[in-house]
Amino acid sequence: MSERQSPQFYGGPRECPSNEGRRQIQRILPRISDVGGIPVARAIPQKDRRLIGPWCFLDHIGPVTDGPALDVGPHPHIGLQTFTWMLEGEILHRDSLGSAQVISPGQVNLMTAGYGIAHTEEAVPGHRRVHAAQLWIALPLAHKDTQPRFDHYPSLPRWTEVGVEFTLLTGQWLEHQAPVLHFSPILGMDLYLPATAETPVSLSLPLQPGFEYGLMPMEGQFSVDDEAFSDNQLAYLGLGRDCVELELQPGCRLLLLGGEPLSDAVSIWWNFVGHSKEEIAEAQAQWLAEDPRFGTVPGYRGKRLVPPPLPW
């Protein structure tokens, strides 16, 4: 996906404060952005929370039925992985490596930008209803210039507990291991309690104290530590937890994100994730000059996206 915002350098507190021995939860309200002609709820990055482990960007698309179809023209990326988790509809991904892949519900598309890549995204004709989560994962400093690649994952670990359907999107959860490529310790998981459930379901999930975690409802409502969350409100749990107690209402779909904090400062500007202003400025200049670093996207007939001027 394409992003436009002020440059951000990531740091700040990783732990939520405690009050009378009880760890607090940070509630982050989404902001609405336009991406490829459709509205999305953006949970991170925001002023109050830039990163959750290596996750540095979370857009929740839809469910959208009316309005224009998704159409994001050629744009570049460096220093990150784009991660798409599809729930309804289909999206066609193309990139400058020559990849052309339709993603369908229950699948993950992962593009590792590394040193540099360009891509497009388009709605597939006949699939006007779209529902997806699109995320970015910041690459650690040691891997920021890795060779670009594209991976499609049609099958992921799935299981059911106490009526809740689990899908492991990336990383490891207890005895389950996702096949999805990653470069630092990370977790992504989808939890869904069908609307046909007769009562809410309580869960106790084990966590890794060295990971920071966030929970976002993509449908319905859930509670954590007796605080209710809905409508794309992100619950940031911070570091240092070894478990979390949840209650899911029928029809709730919950995205659990976690990971070990990166040891190096990260910055983001437009579609670039980097570790200095200089490398971001160089990448932007090369994109504007149509440098071969990013290549061209075969098969797409629209215009290349143009970045805003650098603010420094």
Side-chain angles (χ1 to χ4, degrees), residues 167-215:
T167 304
L168 183 59
L169 307 179
T170 187
Q172 184 174 359
W173 180 261
L174 301 178
E175 71 274 18
H176 305 283
Q177 178 72 53
V180 178
L181 174 71
H182 56 88
F183 290 84
S184 62
I186 194 171
L187 174 71
M189 191 158 63
D190 180 281
L191 292 75
Y192 177 60
L193 179 62
T196 53
E198 295 182 356
T199 60
V201 169
S202 296
L203 293 170
S204 180
L205 301 181
L207 302 178
Q208 297 189 48
F211 277 27
E212 52 183 342
Y213 292 93
L215 295 155

Side-chain angles (χ1 to χ4, degrees), residues 14 17 32 41 103 130 144-145 172 209 215 230 254 260 289 304:
R14 298 289 192 177
I32 304 302
I103 181 173
V130 176
K144 70 181 184 68
D145 289 327
Q172 184 174 359
L215 295 155
S230 60
L254 183 62
E260 190 175 285
R304 302 163 85 246

Side-chain angles (χ1 to χ4, degrees), residues 3 5 10 26 28-31 41-60 134-136 214 216 232 234 236 257 268:
E3 161 70 339
Q5 64 174 66
Y10 295 88
Q26 183 183 26
I28 301 171
L29 302 181
R31 59 188 177 91
R42 182 158 298 157
I44 58 171
Q46 295 200 45
K47 179 181 178 182
D48 294 332
R49 181 56 48 195
R50 310 297 190 189
L51 286 164
I52 301 174
W55 300 99
C56 63
F57 184 92
L58 167 55
D59 271 359
H60 179 204
Q134 294 207 312
L135 306 103
W136 294 356
M216 196 188 81
N232 300 305
L234 176 68
Y236 175 73
L257 301 176
I268 179 173

Side-chain angles (χ1 to χ4, degrees), residues 61-305:
I61 301 174
V64 176
T65 302
D66 299 324
L70 177 72
D71 187 2
V72 183
H75 58 281
H77 289 292
I78 64 167
L80 59 82
Q81 293 176 295
T82 64
F83 186 106
T84 302
W85 165 231
M86 203 71 198
L87 296 170
E88 294 182 77
E90 292 186 338
I91 293 176
L92 171 61
H93 163 97
R94 302 187 220 242
D95 62 44
S96 52
L97 300 177
S99 310
Q101 177 66 57
V102 171
I103 181 173
S104 299
Q107 301 178 349
V108 162
N109 271 359
L110 182 76
M111 186 181 74
T112 302
Y115 179 68
I117 198 169
H119 77 133
T120 64
E121 289 174 301
E122 304 166 76
V124 175
H127 293 270
R128 295 303 301 273
R129 185 170 172 86
V130 176
H131 190 194
Q134 294 207 312
L135 306 103
W136 294 356
I137 303 166
L139 292 173
L141 183 61
H143 298 284
K144 70 181 184 68
D145 289 327
T146 190
Q147 288 296 309
R149 58 182 286 173
F150 175 79
D151 295 278
H152 174 68
Y153 298 95
S155 180
L156 298 161
R158 291 181 170 85
W159 67 98
T160 300
E161 294 181 19
V162 294
V164 177
E165 300 171 6
F166 290 76
T167 304
L168 183 59
L169 307 179
T170 187
Q172 184 174 359
W173 180 261
L174 301 178
E175 71 274 18
H176 305 283
Q177 178 72 53
V180 178
L181 174 71
H182 56 88
F183 290 84
S184 62
I186 194 171
L187 174 71
M189 191 158 63
D190 180 281
L191 292 75
Y192 177 60
L193 179 62
T196 53
E198 295 182 356
T199 60
V201 169
S202 296
L203 293 170
S204 180
L205 301 181
L207 302 178
Q208 297 189 48
F211 277 27
E212 52 183 342
Y213 292 93
L215 295 155
M216 196 188 81
M218 294 191 289
E219 296 178 273
Q221 179 178 302
F222 80 101
S223 297
V224 53
D225 294 349
D226 299 322
E227 291 189 47
F229 290 81
S230 60
D231 300 323
N232 300 305
Q233 297 173 357
L234 176 68
Y236 175 73
L237 306 181
L239 286 164
R241 289 177 177 257
D242 57 15
C243 69
V244 63
E245 307 294 330
L246 304 177
E247 184 179 81
L248 276 62
Q249 298 295 322
C252 177
R253 182 178 295 278
L254 183 62
L255 191 62
L256 170 61
L257 301 176
E260 190 175 285
L262 297 177
S263 58
D264 302 289
V266 173
S267 62
I268 179 173
W269 165 252
W270 195 47
N271 296 304
F272 305 120
V273 169
H275 296 270
S276 71
K277 290 182 178 180
E278 290 74 20
E279 66 176 305
I280 289 175
E282 179 184 29
Q284 177 149 318
Q286 289 173 324
W287 174 252
L288 289 170
E290 301 188 22
D291 188 278
R293 173 179 185 176
F294 298 105
T296 59
V297 181
Y300 185 85
R301 298 181 180 180
K303 295 181 180 180
R304 302 163 85 246
L305 300 191

